[in-house]
Each structure stands twice: as C-alpha cells, then as structure tokens.
Amino acid sequence: MAVEATTHIEAHEGIHLVILHHGLWGNKGHVKFIADQFKKRFGDRILVYRAQSNESSFTYDGIDICGQRAVQEIHEVIRVIEAGGNIKDLQGQKNKRKNKESNNDKKKKSGSSSPSSSSDSTPSSSHFSSKNNSHETLPTTTNSNNGAEGQSQRRLKKVTQFSYLGYSLGGLIGRFVMGLLDTEKFFDPVEEGGRGIEPMYFVTMATPHLGIRKPSATTWSKVFNYVSSRMLSRTGEQMQLVDDYIQGKPLLLVMSEPEGLFVKALARFKRRAVYCNIRNDRSVPFWTASFSDADPFHELEDMEIQYNSGYSSLIESFEHYDDETLTRLQEERAASLKAATFSQRASKALRNIPWKKYALYGLAGPFLIPVWIVFASTTISYQGMNSRIRTKEMVMTNEQLKRIREKASVTVLEQYRDDDDGEEEENDSKNVGKSDHTQETNRPSNTSATTASVKQEEQERKQEHIVVSAVEDSSTSSDEPTVVSYSFPDLKTLRPLGLLPVQVEISRNLNKLDWKKNIVHIEGWNSHASIVVREKRFMNEGGAAAVQHAVDMFKQDGEDE
C-alpha cells in the first residue's frame, strides 16, 4: 500500500532586499565592491541585487524611463525570490538573452531543426535558461524512513524589507523609483491592499541632487552646461534642469516638492543618508551631492577638521578658524617656509608631484588626448542620438509614465527661470482677477495693478534667493548687505554659490526631510570613482572607509540607534 507524502509549508522567511544601482554610463560591476562588503558584513541576512536594466548608454534615456525599467526589474527580482529561485540567475541574464536571440537567428537562417534547437527557441522574455529552470520551483527536501510516512518540507521566502543604494545618477533614478513604487502600494500594509514591504534605508553616494549645471560663469562651465544638456539625451536635459517635465517645471524640481509623491515616498523610509565628496570630485561636487547652497570646504587649510576614528575618510565635525587664529597660522606657515633652505623647499615640492601620472601625460598626452576627445565625443553623440530615437515614442505612448506625470503635478507653476516671466505674470494676473469680481478681470487698471503687484512680489522672492559667487566675494563692496548661506548659517563669512533659483528651491525642499549627511574626504585624483571603489584602480583607504561606513549602517533593527 502506497504511503501518501504530506507537504508541510513552514512560515515565511522574511528577506531584506537591497538594490544597488550604478551611475551614468555605468554597469553592475561598478557597485560590485559594495555588494561584496554587504556579503562579508551580513552573510545571507541581507540579500543584495545589483541592477542591470539601465546599463551603459541606456542611462541616457532619462531618469523617468530608467526608473520605470528599474521598477520592472525590482518586481522580477522579488518574484524570483518568493518563487524560491536564485537571483544570481538574473545577474547577467540580459547577455544570455541577447546571445540566445543571436543563436536563434543563426539557426533560423541555416534552417536547423535539431532537437536541441527546440529547447533554445524559448521566448526572450524568459528569465531562466533551461539549465536553471529548476530554480523557479520551490526547493524541496524529502525525508523518508524505511516505509514511514514521507514528508516534504519547503520554506517560502518573502521580501519584507526593502532598501536602496544609488551611486551618482543611480541616486536620482532611485528617487523616481520610490515614487513609482509608492503609487503601486508597494510599501502599504497588506490589509490595505499593498505589498506590505517595509522601507528601511535610502542611500545615495555622490549623487547630483541639484543637477550638474555648474554655477560658475567661466567659459568652461558654459561649454559644459551647453554640451551635456544636448549630448546626453533626456538625462542630460534633466540633470541640466532645462527639461519640461510637467507644467513647465524640470523633473528634479518636481521630485523635490514637499507635497509631491516622490518626497512622500522618501519620507516613509526609516533612514535617508547621502555621501558627498569634498575634494577631487569633478563630476558631482559637494554642493550638489549634499543639496547645499554653499561649499565650506573651499580652503581646507583654513579649517579645523575632526575625522571619524573608525572610518578614516568620514568627517565628524569641522569649523573655520577665526580671523585671529587664521592670521597666526598664516604667519607660522610663512615663517616656516622662510626658515627652510631652498633645497628643503624644492625637495618638499618635488615629493608632492605625482611624477608617474605627469610622465604618462607628458609622453602620451599630445597624441592620446586629441584621439580620446574625438572618440569620446563621437561615441557620446552617437549614443545620445540613438537614445532620443529610442525614447521618442516611449515618452508619448507610455501610459504609466503619463500617469506618474499627472500624479506628480501637485503645485501651481512658480517662477524658476527667467524665460518664464511673461507666462508667470499672465497666469498670476488671471488668478488674482478671479479672486476679485470676475466682471472686472479685463479692466486695464486692474491688469496694470496686478502686474505691478506680481513684479514686486517676484522681486522680493528673488531678493530672498540672492546668490553671490564665493570666488567673487573679495570684490563685494563693504556697504552691500551680507548674504549668509542658509545651509551653513553658523559660518557667517561663507557666501552662497551662484546657483540658479530652481537649484535653490530644490535644495530647500530636500532639506525639509531628515537626512544623515556624511561628508567624505578622499585623497586621490578621482574621488567620484573611489567613493564606491568603482574599479580596482580606484581602490584606496578613503573610498573603502566610505563604503564600509555605508554598509555598517544597514544593521539589524535597534543596533543603529
């Protein structure tokens, strides 16, 4: 007589899923070092997945389109986890699918009809090859004991906690992702029809939250702002704040609005943190990574800095020397330099020169630099053009992106750019007229008075956002009012940068949330790459310390308070 086997399904095993996302032109390999540190620190207690749906030139397509792709990938990752599969089979699956499609095309052309070809004709949307199909089923273990009742047990996994760490552009994509997930009730309780997933940590590292538009009026800055807004397709426009996402407002502004869905989604996370370099980050300077209106680290020699004892590159506290102390230190430096012999001064200066790098530039630069410029500009232009072609119909026909734009529109258009003056005044005049008697809205006297009132209010608002370049501060007349940075109000001598009004607005909006701002000082020529140890050649003590600090923040509930 056969013995029936009974299946015992154990309680769900809660999984904390962490998504890592690379930056512009990036790939999942750029955040591998972070993933490895998570594995060393937590083992299997935290499941880490490196996003790959927006690799390379796909990052040109726009923060919104990249965000939608990332959301689809997150849903697929969770599906695989909760089906008992292995997310390692997803990593690199994109390349497998491309190879499979290529093989299928070759077989179709050659008319191959071998038995093996039928197994290879799996649709490209399949996420597992036939070799790994067993991972889609729940793992089972069967226990039998010489005719005793057989029992099979399977332990179901369920994603119950969710965190996100975005590097560079990946941080902006992450902010869009959270808004999209929140509209899908991803974080809502199951009783309310949601997924019941708890938002834990949202972290960005060297992310341009205020965009990449350089405030300086130098020729190089103007060229950079112009070129990047055109060659990098929709992503370049969005990071340069020249796009019209909804109601004339750029996407980064919409994503910062306090009552908007994106900020409300971020507010649900247990902790929000940013990591920002203070030196040697030419891609994402301190002010945009920390969404600040000023940079207090312009002259490190004029500051007293305390570093974290456990993480060498993390700054615990800082303050500018007062005038008396600064004068004394300058005199001591001058006296020390004067007392040193010529050979001592020359020896010290020579030791500080990176001879290997300069020797390479000196020998190969005259030939390689022009070749590199031509190659890079051609490649970027070609990829940018392909991106615009690829996304043209997508922007117009994608219903989900349309819905998110409509939901994101929560505030009336305000004046953020000079070219909107006429539209702003016209809209405001109509609104003010409606608040009075509608019969009088077209009266010249009312229109004139309203326009004058709007201009006066606009002038007052602009005065609130007066910006002064820190470089030009020395030429400021003593009888002009002193403008103090609102990001660092205690530093009375620190002047705000020449940010655009829209950047100031984004900064103020984001600072209304509670963020842990981690200030990082990495010694090296490319701290933007080192802050996540993007490749082995960018490995240094400061970068490794920043990554370790970020990983250690993801502790079990209660340990991090």
Side-chain angles (χ1 to χ4, degrees):
M1 180 177 175
V3 180
E4 284 190 14
T6 60
T7 302
H8 297 277
I9 300 178
E10 298 183 2
H12 288 114
E13 176 188 354
I15 297 295
H16 184 177
L17 174 64
V18 178
I19 300 294
L20 306 181
H21 202 295
H22 56 79
L24 188 67
W25 299 303
N27 58 68
K28 64 181 185 294
H30 288 178
V31 290
K32 184 179 184 300
F33 182 81
I34 303 177
D36 292 342
Q37 302 316 302
F38 268 105
K39 184 67 174 177
K40 290 179 182 179
R41 177 69 173 80
F42 297 104
D44 295 329
R45 285 188 292 156
I46 289 181
L47 201 57
V48 177
Y49 179 83
R50 293 176 287 142
Q52 61 180 4
S53 58
N54 293 308
E55 292 188 332
S56 188
S57 61
F58 283 100
T59 55
Y60 289 39
D61 293 351
I63 295 167
D64 48 349
I65 292 178
C66 290
Q68 186 185 40
R69 288 198 200 107
V71 166
Q72 294 170 350
E73 187 173 12
I74 289 169
H75 285 317
E76 179 60 20
V77 169
I78 294 176
R79 185 194 68 79
V80 170
I81 292 172
E82 296 184 348
N86 189 341
I87 61 173
K88 289 183 179 179
D89 295 323
L90 288 176
Q91 299 282 192
Q93 191 67 34
K94 180 178 65 174
N95 294 329
K96 292 180 183 178
R97 290 199 297 272
K98 286 182 179 179
N99 293 335
K100 187 180 294 182
E101 290 171 357
S102 176
N103 292 334
N104 288 341
D105 291 339
K106 289 179 181 178
K107 290 177 181 179
K108 287 178 181 178
K109 289 179 181 178
S110 62
S112 174
S113 59
S114 63
S116 60
S117 67
S118 63
S119 64
D120 287 336
S121 62
T122 307
S124 61
S125 60
S126 173
H127 291 276
F128 294 95
S129 64
S130 58
K131 178 180 178 181
N132 295 320
N133 277 343
S134 59
H135 288 297
E136 289 203 13
T137 60
L138 294 171
T140 61
T141 56
T142 303
N143 300 325
S144 61
N145 188 11
N146 297 329
E149 181 181 4
Q151 293 183 346
S152 65
Q153 295 182 345
R154 58 189 187 184
R155 187 169 180 81
L156 301 181
K157 293 182 178 180
K158 182 174 178 58
V159 175
T160 56
Q161 296 179 324
F162 179 85
S163 294
Y164 183 97
L165 190 153
Y167 163 58
S168 196
L169 174 64
L172 296 177
I173 294 173
R175 284 170 52 198
F176 192 91
V177 165
M178 297 315 125
L180 200 53
L181 288 175
D182 203 28
T183 62
E184 299 176 353
K185 296 188 175 182
F186 189 81
F187 303 121
D188 289 357
V190 176
E191 309 83 61
E192 299 177 9
R195 293 291 297 267
I197 297 177
E198 181 184 5
M200 297 296 291
Y201 302 96
F202 184 86
V203 183
T204 67
M205 304 188 77
T207 290
H209 291 284
L210 302 185
I212 60 173
R213 191 172 190 84
K214 295 183 179 297
S216 176
T218 63
T219 302
W220 159 246
S221 295
K222 292 179 180 178
V223 171
F224 172 82
N225 292 337
Y226 178 85
V227 171
S228 61
S229 65
R230 285 158 177 79
M231 294 181 67
L232 301 181
S233 186
R234 296 182 72 247
T235 298
E237 293 175 355
Q238 291 168 352
M239 291 199 295
Q240 278 289 335
L241 304 165
V242 296
D243 64 306
D244 180 357
Y245 182 70
I246 188 72
Q247 294 185 350
K249 294 179 290 186
L251 175 59
L252 293 190
L253 174 61
V254 173
M255 285 169 51
S256 75
E257 291 174 333
E259 298 302 318
L261 60 94
F262 299 103
V263 168
K264 286 185 176 180
L266 286 181
R268 303 185 71 163
F269 279 79
K270 175 183 177 181
R271 175 167 293 180
R272 294 160 297 280
V274 297
Y275 288 78
C276 31
N277 287 311
I278 64 170
R279 281 291 177 90
N280 305 316
D281 192 330
R282 287 163 288 277
S283 301
V284 183
F286 171 82
W287 56 268
T288 186
S290 63
F291 35 95
S292 303
D293 73 330
D295 183 0
F297 302 99
H298 186 66
E299 296 291 343
L300 293 184
E301 298 79 10
D302 299 342
M303 304 177 65
E304 182 179 2
I305 299 176
Q306 298 293 330
Y307 293 90
N308 189 302
S309 58
Y311 308 92
S312 59
S313 59
L314 273 292
I315 294 178
E316 282 288 316
S317 63
F318 65 90
E319 63 176 334
H320 285 199
Y321 292 123
D322 55 43
D323 293 340
E324 183 180 348
T325 303
L326 188 59
T327 302
R328 177 175 56 82
L329 290 175
Q330 290 174 344
E331 291 175 351
E332 291 177 355
R333 292 171 193 156
S336 176
L337 187 63
K338 187 176 181 180
T341 62
F342 174 80
S343 59
Q344 291 174 329
R345 293 197 299 270
S347 176
K348 182 178 180 180
L350 292 173
R351 284 197 303 269
N352 292 332
I353 298 176
W355 288 106
K356 291 182 179 179
K357 181 175 72 173
Y358 285 143
L360 177 64
Y361 289 163
L363 294 175
F367 171 74
L368 292 181
I369 291 178
V371 172
W372 180 86
I373 291 175
V374 172
F375 174 77
S377 59
T378 303
T379 301
I380 294 173
S381 298
Y382 174 76
Q383 292 175 338
M385 181 179 63
N386 281 345
S387 171
R388 291 191 184 277
I389 296 173
R390 180 171 58 241
T391 59
K392 185 177 181 180
E393 286 192 14
M394 192 182 305
V395 174
M396 303 301 295
T397 61
N398 192 305
E399 291 299 326
Q400 187 180 35
L401 292 180
K402 283 185 179 179
R403 288 195 300 271
I404 199 74
R405 277 199 300 271
E406 292 171 358
K407 291 182 179 180
S409 176
V410 296
T411 57
V412 179
L413 174 63
E414 296 182 8
Q415 175 58 41
Y416 294 109
R417 287 182 282 203
D418 293 338
D419 56 358
D420 294 328
D421 282 340
E423 183 181 353
E424 164 80 7
E425 292 171 6
E426 180 181 354
N427 291 338
D428 283 347
S429 298
K430 291 180 181 179
N431 292 336
V432 174
K434 289 179 181 179
S435 66
D436 297 325
H437 299 288
T438 55
Q439 302 94 315
E440 300 178 354
T441 52
N442 295 323
R443 289 178 57 182
S445 58
N446 284 350
T447 303
S448 177
T450 301
T451 303
S453 176
V454 170
K455 286 184 177 180
Q456 182 178 0
E457 291 175 4
E458 176 59 21
Q459 186 63 28
E460 292 174 356
R461 191 194 65 77
K462 287 184 177 181
Q463 289 298 324
E464 180 184 357
H465 298 316
I466 291 176
V467 286
V468 181
S469 173
V471 178
E472 298 173 351
D473 181 58
S474 59
S475 62
T476 303
S477 175
S478 58
D479 57 352
E480 293 182 1
T482 302
V483 182
V484 179
S485 163
Y486 72 83
S487 298
F488 304 96
D490 294 336
L491 302 178
K492 303 302 182 182
T493 60
L494 182 65
R495 299 292 176 264
L497 297 170
L499 303 180
L500 293 176
V502 64
Q503 291 175 306
V504 174
E505 195 70 23
I506 295 171
S507 173
R508 290 181 179 275
N509 289 343
L510 290 178
N511 278 295
K512 291 176 182 178
L513 277 176
D514 182 23
W515 296 83
K516 171 64 176 175
K517 295 187 179 182
N518 300 286
I519 305 172
V520 183
H521 183 193
I522 296 175
E523 294 289 353
W525 66 280
N526 189 349
S527 62
H528 186 71
S530 295
I531 198 171
V532 294
V533 190
R534 200 167 67 193
E535 298 173 20
K536 286 185 177 180
R537 61 194 175 106
F538 298 119
M539 162 69 82
N540 57 39
E541 181 184 354
V547 170
Q548 195 60 53
H549 185 275
V551 170
D552 287 347
M553 184 179 63
F554 286 71
K555 296 179 180 179
Q556 288 185 345
D557 196 22
E559 291 183 17
D560 57 340
E561 301 300 337

